[in-house]
Amino acid sequence: MSDVMRRVRNANPVPDSSHLLLDREEFTDLVVERRDKMVLGRSAATGALHPGSRWQIALVAFALVLVTGGGVWLAGSMASGDLVGADAASASEAQLALASAAHFFDALNSGDLETAQAIMAPAISRDPKIARALQFFSGLPGTKSLSSCSTTARVLWTDVACDITLSGPLFVATGQDTARGVLRVDDEGLITSSPVIGRRLEADRAFVEYAKAIEPVAFQRSCDPEAYVPGSVEISKLAESLAWTGECAQLWAELSDDAAAWVYAGKPTLDRGETIEPDPGSS
Amino acid sequence: MEADSNLFEALFQEHAAKVQAYCLRRAPVEDARDAAAEVFAVAWSKRRQLPEDEKILPWLYGIAARVLANQRRASRRKSAFLRRFLGVSERSLSGPEEQVLFNAETQEVLDALQRLGPSDREIVMLIAWEELTRDQAAVVLGCSPEAAKKRYQRATRRLERALGIDHGERTASSRYEPEVAGNE
């Protein structure tokens, strides 16, 4: 076999189809839904043939294989009560993916970077910048919460689409505190991609504008991408105007209330050292 | 009718997992599940036209390819609707990040496969993943064995380029012969 075909063979997303079937007896112990969608199940009902049950066995077997690798996440972390599973037929995959997403955001909110990075290990191993992005994102003020989640099972992963809400003052002030995004969770419960990391929100732009004017030295030291070598881990094409550092997140936290007040005030022209008093009538 | 049922039962037992795997390799789980079920529904309706034994699995794959193609067309219609009426694409709905995935090597190969044309990609996958011979792949693709051979050679050449594989002094005759794909 040629090298290229060997590589293609190794990339086979379903390398072994034998696990797609179980014994009929084993099947009877399992709960199976979506019976009405089983074309063969309907044929079986006519008495002409009876492969429908085996078909359902195959589906359940596949779900079990996926869950086996990631049961650890199912054990304890459906903490976010408003997460909603999408598809009963792939409930196990959905639960795993939702639990992983909830666990990840819990870790970010509690400042447990080690756990957050462990859950995103596949992405970080591919791109070390993501570790920095997590550090930055975790350091932003306010909570980051998921709601209205739905899941879509893919061959190689599960997409978890959620409303991601950021409660920090600047996100609220800019009117863009919630975004619909998709986290991609693999069959081990690890997040391979997250939409929030590096997303350019209005709050980013407002912070840059405000911090550059009010705290130019601190901004340049902690947040200015130009202070870093192009290609370094602090710089991302997704955050052109902001370096992802823990120090920058700290500056954001310090300026957050004032910057929000400045936004509420209609972003008046700023002079160095100026602060904006919140408009009493604008809360 | 009883004979038909028994024959079909045997056919299902022997090939259902492989057909499902074929679909899972090419479509999201839910679509693959429905497609694989549809394959056997179609096969049942054509049970009087079953090919000879060694061609049954390629024949089922051929049905699966058409079923999945229909699914994709339906999906494209949905995308066109989203673009036209909502001003969004399914891609934009699924989030801004492409910071994929589990295994860089696997992803690189899958990306390279995606860059091939559909027929090139299909013959590579049939031989590498379904472990068909080129002749069997020809049955799936509805072309002659000679055409399948040429298509396979072209596809692997393009795939090598996409993956940046440089063969240097390797000979053309040894380059494209898969051990699972010899003509029988």
Side-chain angles (χ1 to χ4, degrees), chain A residues 16-271:
Chain A
D16 177 15
S17 61
S18 61
H19 67 275
L20 295 175
L21 287 177
L22 288 178
D23 292 337
R24 189 188 291 271
E25 291 74 20
E26 204 169 340
F27 166 70
T28 56
D29 291 334
L30 300 169
V31 176
V32 177
E33 297 182 0
R34 289 166 60 87
R35 186 181 298 271
D36 60 331
K37 287 196 72 175
M38 301 296 168
V39 174
L40 287 171
R42 286 202 297 274
S43 298
T46 68
L49 72 160
H50 305 277
S53 295
R54 257 181 237 99
W55 196 250
Q56 291 159 345
I57 290 169
L59 306 183
V60 173
F62 185 70
L64 287 178
V65 167
L66 289 181
V67 168
T68 305
V72 59
W73 298 114
L74 288 171
S77 62
M78 282 304 292
S80 297
D82 56 350
L83 297 180
V84 180
D87 191 336
S90 55
S92 301
E93 297 130 286
Q95 281 182 327
L96 169 65
L98 289 167
S100 182
H103 202 63
F104 176 66
F105 272 75
D106 284 348
L108 282 179
N109 284 321
S110 64
D112 183 0
L113 266 180
E114 195 176 336
T115 298
Q117 290 181 354
I119 298 173
M120 268 199 108
I124 291 171
S125 67
R126 188 168 178 272
D127 183 357
K129 291 178 182 178
I130 294 171
R132 283 298 184 132
L134 285 181
Q135 187 183 8
F136 175 77
F137 189 63
S138 175
L140 294 181
T143 56
K144 302 91 188 170
S145 56
L146 299 177
S147 60
S148 305
C149 293
S150 63
T151 61
T152 305
R154 310 288 182 188
V155 174
L156 298 171
W157 62 81
T158 300
D159 285 338
V160 181
C162 300
D163 287 341
I164 301 165
T165 302
L166 309 170
S167 74
L170 200 43
F171 294 106
V172 176
T174 54
Q176 201 183 65
D177 61 346
T178 299
R180 189 80 180 165
V182 179
L183 294 101
R184 190 172 285 180
V185 183
D186 70 14
D187 60 5
E188 293 184 341
L190 301 177
I191 294 175
T192 58
S193 135
S194 167
V196 173
I197 311 306
R199 187 161 194 153
R200 274 176 287 182
L201 298 169
E202 279 305 312
D204 290 8
R205 297 190 182 93
F207 169 73
V208 170
E209 196 179 341
Y210 185 81
K212 266 185 175 174
I214 299 297
E215 294 285 356
V217 176
F219 181 85
Q220 190 175 29
R221 188 176 57 237
S222 305
C223 302
D224 191 347
E226 291 183 10
Y228 297 90
V229 177
S232 65
V233 293
E234 291 86 359
I235 307 298
S236 166
K237 63 181 179 182
L238 291 168
E240 289 160 347
S241 55
L242 206 57
W244 284 335
T245 65
E247 294 77 17
C248 187
Q250 202 172 349
L251 181 63
W252 181 308
E254 289 167 11
L255 298 179
S256 190
D257 287 337
D258 289 346
W262 171 68
V263 171
Y264 282 129
K267 295 187 179 179
T269 304
L270 291 163
D271 295 323

Side-chain angles (χ1 to χ4, degrees), chain B residues 79-172:
Chain B
S79 295
F81 173 85
L82 289 171
R83 275 196 306 274
R84 182 172 176 191
F85 296 104
L86 301 179
V88 297
S89 66
E90 287 187 289
R91 182 181 175 81
S92 70
L93 286 177
S94 65
E97 292 282 318
E98 289 299 332
Q99 296 169 348
V100 206
L101 267 179
F102 45 101
N103 177 314
E105 160 67 11
T106 297
Q107 192 57 44
E108 185 185 8
V109 173
L110 295 178
D111 287 347
L113 276 173
Q114 283 304 314
R115 289 199 292 274
L116 296 180
S119 60
D120 284 358
R121 180 166 61 241
E122 182 65 11
I123 196 166
V124 168
M125 293 194 296
L126 285 169
I127 289 171
W129 293 353
E130 269 66 50
E131 301 186 0
L132 299 189
T133 65
R134 278 200 301 258
D135 284 0
Q136 289 173 319
V139 173
V140 178
L141 298 168
C143 64
S144 68
E146 187 58 29
K149 179 180 178 182
K150 286 181 179 169
R151 188 180 292 182
Y152 175 71
Q153 290 178 341
R154 183 185 62 195
T156 51
R157 206 161 46 235
R158 289 176 174 169
L159 193 56
E160 284 169 343
R161 274 203 300 272
L163 288 168
I165 297 174
D166 179 10
H167 283 288
E169 70 283 0
R170 287 184 66 177
T171 62

